[in-house]
Amino acid sequence: MNKQIFRKAMSKFATGITVVTSEFDNDIQGMTVNAFMSVSLDPQLITISLDSKTNFHQNADKIKRFGVSILREEQQEISMIFAKQIEKEFKDFAELDGIPVIANALTTLACTVVNTVEAGDHLLIIAEVDEIEINEGNPILYYNSAYKRISDE
């Protein structure tokens, strides 16, 4: 099996889109992450997976707390900005428990890192959720290497 077949197979799993944000190097940093999941209810833990080529992976030792913003349908462009698919400056941040998050996201989480695990060419960051804000709306999805909406057929 080659990498392209593996990537195609994994694209058949529909995921939500998140933007992970933190503050380091005297600036708010962010990246689009679709490898996100809840891990535990007690304690309340989540994990994100960071590619070794990313700025977040390379600065993981500086990141003690971060935000996760689960994006809504209307926020596809924000995902594309933080995935570096379009070049545009983004400044519409809100704050949750002292952590920068995306304003008006479907859900935002403020998290504290509790563990990291090297896994192949990725770093898994396990974090405890300190604060949550939930809003109404529908999530933007990623399926078959493309953005989708719940209403899409």
Side-chain angles (χ1 to χ4, degrees), residues 40-88:
S40 169
L41 289 175
D42 188 19
Q44 295 161 343
L45 301 175
I46 58 95
T47 190
I48 59 173
S49 181
L50 306 176
D51 187 306
S52 63
K53 298 179 201 96
T54 65
N55 188 36
F56 264 70
H57 184 287
Q58 294 162 8
N59 289 282
D61 59 325
K62 298 177 186 174
I63 301 170
K64 305 301 178 213
R65 298 193 71 216
F66 62 90
V68 176
S69 301
I70 301 172
L71 300 185
R72 62 175 69 241
E73 287 179 336
E74 301 81 12
Q75 294 176 313
Q76 178 177 330
E77 183 179 90
I78 295 170
S79 170
M80 295 173 77
I81 290 168
F82 286 101
K84 297 184 179 8
Q85 294 171 333
I86 58 176
E87 206 166 313
K88 186 175 182 182

Side-chain angles (χ1 to χ4, degrees), residues 11 23 77 123 145:
S11 78
E23 202 162 346
E77 183 179 90
L123 178 69
S145 301

